[in-house]
Amino acid sequence: MRIDREGNRFSHRVLVETVRKVGFGVIGVKGIGKNHVNSILSAEGAELVAVADINEQEGRSTASSCGVEWYRDYEKMLELKELDAVTICTPHFLHYPMVMRALESGKHVLVEKPMAVTVREADDMIERAGSKGLKIGVVFQYRTDPVNRQIKTMIETGELGRIYRVCMEACYFRTQSYYNSDAWRGRWATEGGGVLINQAVHDLDLLQWFVGKPARLQGHVSTLYHSVEVEDIASAAILFENGAHGVLQASTVDAVETVRFEICGERGKIVKEGGRTSCARLGKPIKEYVAEKKVWGVQPETEWTELKPEKEVEAGHGAVIKDFVQAILEDRDPLVNGEDGRASLEIANAIVLSSFDGGAVSFPLDRDAYDRLMRKLRKGARQPD
């Protein structure tokens, strides 16, 4: 019985609103997997159901602290009916088999970068997810950064005009101990590459997100100072589908790290470096300055401003997890879907193939040629020149 404001009694049916939650499992809880666990626990609409890790100490400890079950065998975890989705936080070479098995079990998948080791593996993942009607997302959390979002909007709305030139430096530092810390690092068979597929893949994602798809590139990779099979320095010259010219360098041998983007459009330039992003806006399109009749002394009018987000927004892994939850509930694509995740991997693969074959390569990348190269590298552990 219920009493209204006037004191009248009346009977009613109690309606219980069922709130839909997405049941998650995390595969691999060491390292970045802990971020996934914490993000799921704090994400509205998500529920952590179980974790899987072959390391019993890591697995049991995480499961106990979260009040969920631990599985040594991730395939056993996939049998849980209350499990709707999994996030995969394992070494690179395990991404492909684990994603394919999860999709076959009817689970949505969010996989850490890189989504796979080769672009053909990424093709298979995308095709399998599509045939099953399941979501596949890739963790590229740099896209959630508010300044990066602002840059993307400026480009899409034409504020910078047509992009015609871009430079990217993704130069980091890693010690030999970093590579020695896990047996899978630094090997073609397990890491699938070096700086390009591991550290700089985030920057490659932003590069193609900002500028568009590449049409052709010439790349070079080398191993300078680390005792590893894979590259610790790389460079490339890129021609994009929209006609823009690009150059990039990446390394894990820079004692003074440099992470820098320079994007030039017909109406302005953006420079992003060291936590600061500046934009130079031209008084008129660059074509008009070029057409000036003066031989010398023409100085285009520019106004520099620093780009700062207007409001604080959630970024990082937490934002990626929340978006993936909503993508499932709303039946839409996640922030970075399979096709998006494949794009940066294809650039990394292309630079390696170009370097070893000694010539420029075109897009889409020749899958057979890259697979042949990988088979040779995995067998002979031949280092880049």
Side-chain angles (χ1 to χ4, degrees):
M1 299 294 291
R2 183 177 176 181
I3 302 176
D4 64 17
R5 291 181 178 178
E6 283 71 37
N8 301 314
R9 294 177 179 270
F10 60 93
S11 62
H12 67 286
R13 294 176 60 189
V14 178
L15 300 178
V16 179
E17 181 182 359
T18 303
V19 178
R20 171 82 167 97
K21 284 202 170 186
V22 179
F24 274 91
V26 177
I27 305 175
V29 295
K30 182 182 177 182
I32 203 65
K34 296 185 188 301
N35 284 19
H36 284 238
V37 168
N38 292 332
S39 295
I40 291 168
L41 290 172
S42 63
E44 184 178 354
E47 180 181 6
L48 184 66
V49 174
V51 298
D53 200 300
I54 59 172
N55 184 311
E56 182 172 355
Q57 182 177 353
E58 290 282 352
R60 283 192 182 279
S61 174
T62 301
S64 176
S65 65
C66 299
V68 299
E69 290 294 320
W70 160 70
Y71 289 82
R72 186 190 302 275
D73 183 352
Y74 81 96
E75 294 191 68
K76 291 290 185 183
M77 185 182 74
L78 291 176
E79 296 175 3
L80 295 173
K81 292 182 179 180
E82 61 268 36
L83 197 68
D84 301 300
V86 295
T87 70
I88 296 177
C89 311
T90 53
H92 301 175
F93 72 103
L94 295 174
H95 290 183
Y96 175 70
M98 288 182 167
V99 168
M100 296 298 280
R101 184 69 187 88
L103 292 171
E104 194 61 37
S105 299
K107 314 301 182 186
H108 303 288
V109 180
L110 179 64
V111 59
E112 268 291 338
K113 60 78 186 170
M115 67 183 295
V117 170
T118 71
V119 70
R120 190 190 295 276
E121 291 178 344
D123 293 341
D124 291 345
M125 293 173 170
I126 294 165
E127 190 281 327
R128 180 66 58 85
S131 67
K132 291 283 187 178
L134 296 166
K135 311 295 180 191
I136 180 168
V138 187
V139 180
F140 279 114
Q141 71 272 17
Y142 288 10
R143 291 199 189 191
T144 67
D145 178 84
V147 172
N148 289 337
R149 292 183 189 181
Q150 188 175 357
I151 294 171
K152 177 67 172 176
T153 299
M154 292 174 67
I155 293 172
E156 286 186 332
T157 58
E159 189 172 342
L160 292 181
R162 185 180 71 87
I163 305 301
Y164 64 87
R165 186 175 72 82
V166 61
C167 294
M168 185 195 92
E169 290 179 87
C171 299
Y172 303 97
F173 182 72
R174 294 293 185 273
T175 64
Q176 183 63 43
S177 295
Y178 165 81
Y179 289 100
N180 296 343
S181 65
D182 286 297
W184 64 274
R185 296 189 187 278
R187 298 173 57 202
W188 291 111
T190 48
E191 190 170 13
V195 61
L196 288 171
I197 204 169
N198 200 334
Q199 289 77 28
V201 72
H202 282 292
D203 306 277
L204 294 177
D205 175 63
L206 289 180
L207 178 68
Q208 62 83 31
W209 191 47
F210 290 151
V211 184
K213 294 181 179 180
R216 191 172 176 81
L217 68 74
Q218 174 81 54
H220 301 279
V221 298
S222 299
T223 306
L224 293 183
Y225 300 120
H226 294 100
S227 296
V228 293
E229 298 173 7
V230 298
E231 85 283 352
D232 61 11
I233 190 169
S235 60
I238 305 175
L239 181 65
F240 292 87
E241 287 183 351
N242 60 11
H245 287 233
V247 294
L248 70 88
Q249 287 193 323
S251 86
T252 52
V253 296
D254 275 59
V256 180
E257 293 190 352
T258 301
V259 182
R260 186 177 189 274
F261 274 99
E262 183 174 305
I263 304 169
C264 298
E266 292 180 333
R267 287 188 168 274
K269 171 191 286 192
I270 289 177
V271 178
K272 188 174 193 291
E273 181 179 10
R276 180 175 180 177
T277 305
S278 300
C279 178
R281 293 173 173 84
L282 298 177
K284 56 186 177 181
I286 191 66
K287 289 181 179 180
E288 296 184 24
Y289 288 109
V290 172
E292 288 279 356
K293 294 182 179 180
K294 293 182 181 179
V295 177
W296 308 107
V298 177
Q299 184 63 47
E301 302 170 17
T302 57
E303 179 185 354
W304 283 93
T305 57
E306 186 173 352
L307 297 186
K308 294 182 179 180
E310 295 181 359
K311 60 180 180 179
E312 291 293 327
V313 296
E314 184 173 8
H317 281 80
V320 173
I321 296 289
K322 288 183 178 180
D323 172 81
F324 194 66
V325 172
Q326 292 305 310
I328 294 171
L329 295 176
E330 298 169 10
D331 192 22
R332 60 165 174 81
D333 274 350
L335 176 67
V336 183
N337 62 22
E339 289 82 358
D340 293 334
R342 177 176 58 190
S344 55
L345 176 64
E346 190 163 10
I347 297 173
N349 284 181
I351 295 171
V352 172
L353 180 62
S354 173
S355 183
F356 279 100
D357 280 6
V361 299
S362 298
F363 290 77
L365 186 66
D366 186 330
R367 271 64 169 162
D368 291 335
Y370 193 74
D371 287 349
R372 285 194 299 269
L373 173 62
M374 282 298 102
R375 286 194 292 270
K376 291 179 182 178
L377 293 176
R378 289 165 180 169
K379 287 181 180 179
R382 181 164 65 97
Q383 287 190 344
D385 297 331

